[in-house]
Amino acid sequence: MRDLTELTAVQLVEGYRKGEFSPVEATRAALDRAERIQPEVNAFVRLTGEEALAQASASADRWRRGEPSGAVDGVPVTVKDILLMRGAPTLKGSKTIAENGSWHEDAPSVARLRESGAVFLGKTTTPEFGWKGVTDSPLSGVTRNPYDPTRTAGGSSGGAAAAVALGAGPLALGTDGGGSVRIPAAFCGIFALKPTYGRVPLYPASAFGTLAHVGPMTRDAADAALLLDVIGVPDSRDWSALGPAAGPYSAALSGGVRGLRVAYSPSLGGQVAVQPGVAAAVRRAVERLAGLGAYVTEADPDFADPVDAFHTLWLSGAARVTQHLGPHQRELLDPGLREICGRGARMSALDYLAAVDVRMELGRRMGRFHDSYDLLVTPALPITAFEAGTEVPKGSGHHRWTGWTPFTYPFNMTQQPAASVPVGTDGDGLPVGLQIVAARHRDDLVLRAAHALYESEAAGIRPPAPAHAG
């Protein structure tokens, strides 16, 4: 039998339809893989094996009757431990949240997956309250990179990325407030999409406000489109959710890139120093887009680094999420989180509104930019994965994670769809990610361009599979 952990969600569903294997077999394989990788990589805070097998058995019965519940019936999926999942604690990487709460509600994206018959393998790791671009927390320790366990998986959806990369479920739900699905996707060699804000409803509302998105983390763009079709529908609990999409994202994949106007910005106008191995891999992929018929122009969006405004929005959000904690509970926090909460608490409403002004101007500039270009392509990150257990690379001079993620957080501020696509490796064999950005509401173009790269056999974008830990 084929190794079921190596199949995409699209391939699993096709196999179920043809009766080649069952959801129970796929779930057992994914759970076995999850248990094997956990000691070395630490991707999970909780595995829900018994519940998953019961869900898989029910799915197998539906497939035998020819009555699947939805597009991902029987597909193993993981949920970042920021999102509510009925029956399992959502501790958000924090010792300040009691495990014995009444965990009776699903987040909107989880609810849509449950309705569609997905099988929930467990909850994946996050830094405390998702506050930084690497994944370690006082609660669950350090999550490590599938390609080199001495290095970080990135964050804040690091556990989700590691699980997908290593075959512990082909679908994962992550969250992204400043790059948190794209950063670990780039470091772990998988695909991730931060959809247009509101495309995937979020409840409870994030303390980081309208910076926070829910997004698919998958093996490829086709699986992400499939997952977005399931979770990208309105939910009355999110007042800012968008209305229904114009049509299935899966159906829009085949459009290709011929004729699309692509702006390639290798360093945001010289503002970012990019490692040579990263720059070379990204350039090769951009050349491939041109070979597929895109009109590629080297052009930079017209904005300066908005990091100060982002910090105002981000740090005040962190202060808000911990505002209710007493002195003893604050001592339990990640020291870095405790520091930024102190800074955020000193910010005024005028500071916040000034940052909103910067954000609105940034959005205006990007709107005008997309009058001329359908897509913007950049590196997802200027570097590859660095030492695990640290927030910034040693010797980098950066104080916080935003110092090495200048390509990601601007597009949380503008709410645009943005994806990280694996485009090979650097000289050390570590994955490199390319970022594709489109105008708001054009998630279909991002997915189309990424899918075109995946479909191109000569593109060389898939990094070699990581050695399976354990």
Side-chain angles (χ1 to χ4, degrees):
M1 180 184 290
R2 302 163 73 183
D3 184 348
L4 300 183
T5 66
E6 300 301 321
L7 301 185
T8 66
V10 170
Q11 291 169 331
L12 286 177
V13 169
E14 184 63 17
Y16 300 158
R17 183 175 291 111
K18 294 178 177 178
E20 295 174 349
F21 42 78
S22 77
V24 173
E25 291 168 314
T27 299
R28 287 191 188 279
L31 285 170
D32 288 348
R33 180 62 55 80
E35 290 168 356
R36 290 211 307 275
I37 68 173
Q38 181 63 11
E40 188 170 9
V41 176
N42 187 33
F44 290 89
V45 293
R46 180 181 299 270
L47 285 168
T48 53
E50 184 176 338
E51 297 91 333
L53 289 171
Q55 292 162 2
S57 179
S59 173
D61 287 342
R62 291 191 294 271
W63 279 108
R64 278 193 291 269
R65 298 195 306 268
E67 299 173 352
S69 292
V72 294
D73 200 335
V75 177
V77 63
T78 64
V79 177
K80 183 181 179 180
D81 199 35
I82 291 288
L83 299 169
L84 294 177
M85 188 173 88
R86 192 175 73 219
T90 300
L91 304 181
K92 303 183 179 182
S94 184
K95 293 181 177 180
T96 67
I97 297 177
E99 188 170 346
N100 60 352
S102 55
W103 307 104
H104 61 274
E105 191 171 19
D106 285 329
S109 52
V110 177
R112 301 295 86 75
L113 282 167
R114 196 181 298 277
E115 292 162 3
S116 192
V119 172
F120 295 102
L121 298 179
K123 304 296 289 290
T124 54
T125 53
T126 176
E128 195 163 19
F129 299 111
W131 80 271
K132 59 184 175 180
V134 294
T135 301
D136 58 73
S137 75
L139 182 68
S140 57
V142 177
T143 297
R144 299 178 180 276
N145 192 286
Y147 285 80
D148 180 351
T150 69
R151 300 178 185 250
T152 180
S156 62
S157 307
V164 170
L166 288 169
L171 302 180
L173 292 178
T175 62
D176 189 317
S180 289
V181 299
R182 290 161 288 156
I183 294 166
F187 278 176
C188 294
I190 69 164
F191 181 83
L193 172 69
K194 178 189 75 66
T196 299
Y197 178 80
R199 173 46 55 210
V200 180
L202 179 61
Y203 171 85
S206 171
F208 299 108
T210 57
L211 294 172
H213 304 59
V214 177
M217 304 181 71
T218 59
R219 292 239 177 83
D220 60 22
D223 269 11
L226 176 69
L227 182 49
L228 188 59
D229 285 338
V230 174
I231 65 176
V233 295
D235 187 290
S236 60
R237 293 173 291 174
D238 182 353
W239 64 270
S240 63
L242 298 176
Y249 291 102
S250 297
L253 288 174
S254 60
V257 297
R258 183 168 299 279
L260 292 183
R261 302 163 299 166
V262 176
Y264 167 43
S265 179
S267 61
L268 293 180
Q271 296 183 77
V272 184
V274 179
Q275 287 180 352
V278 172
V282 170
R283 186 172 289 276
R284 286 193 298 270
V286 171
E287 290 170 351
R288 188 59 190 165
L289 285 172
L292 293 170
Y295 297 120
V296 177
T297 304
E298 193 160 318
D300 302 306
D302 178 26
F303 65 78
D305 187 354
V307 67
D308 291 337
F310 178 80
H311 281 165
T312 298
L313 300 170
W314 192 254
L315 272 56
S316 57
R320 174 62 176 157
V321 82
T322 58
Q323 185 180 31
H324 67 288
L325 300 178
H328 172 69
Q329 287 181 304
R330 287 184 178 275
E331 288 301 312
L332 301 176
L333 294 174
D334 179 327
L337 175 60
R338 192 163 57 242
E339 179 189 324
I340 70 162
C341 288
R343 291 174 59 192
R346 294 189 292 272
M347 292 173 175
S348 70
L350 289 178
D351 294 329
Y352 191 92
L353 290 174
V356 171
D357 287 342
V358 172
R359 183 180 190 181
M360 293 172 70
E361 173 60 16
L362 180 62
R364 184 193 70 81
R365 288 173 180 261
M366 286 308 303
R368 292 294 300 273
F369 184 82
H370 285 290
D371 287 340
S372 300
Y373 299 101
D374 299 303
L375 297 171
L376 169 66
V377 172
T378 74
L381 296 169
I383 60 175
T384 51
F386 53 89
E387 302 90 341
T390 61
E391 184 184 342
V392 301
K394 292 178 182 177
S396 67
H398 300 308
H399 180 57
R400 287 289 170 230
W401 62 273
T402 44
W404 52 269
T405 60
F407 292 109
T408 59
Y409 55 77
F411 304 108
N412 291 81
M413 297 178 75
T414 62
Q415 302 186 340
Q416 293 171 248
S420 179
V421 186
V423 289
T425 58
D426 69 356
D428 295 324
L430 295 170
V432 172
L434 169 145
Q435 180 173 238
I436 303 175
V437 184
R440 292 176 74 242
H441 312 296
R442 292 315 307 266
D443 307 71
D444 60 315
L445 288 184
V446 174
L447 289 164
R448 271 175 54 189
H451 185 64
L453 282 173
Y454 275 106
E455 288 291 285
S456 173
E457 293 182 1
I461 69 167
R462 296 178 190 261
H468 293 131

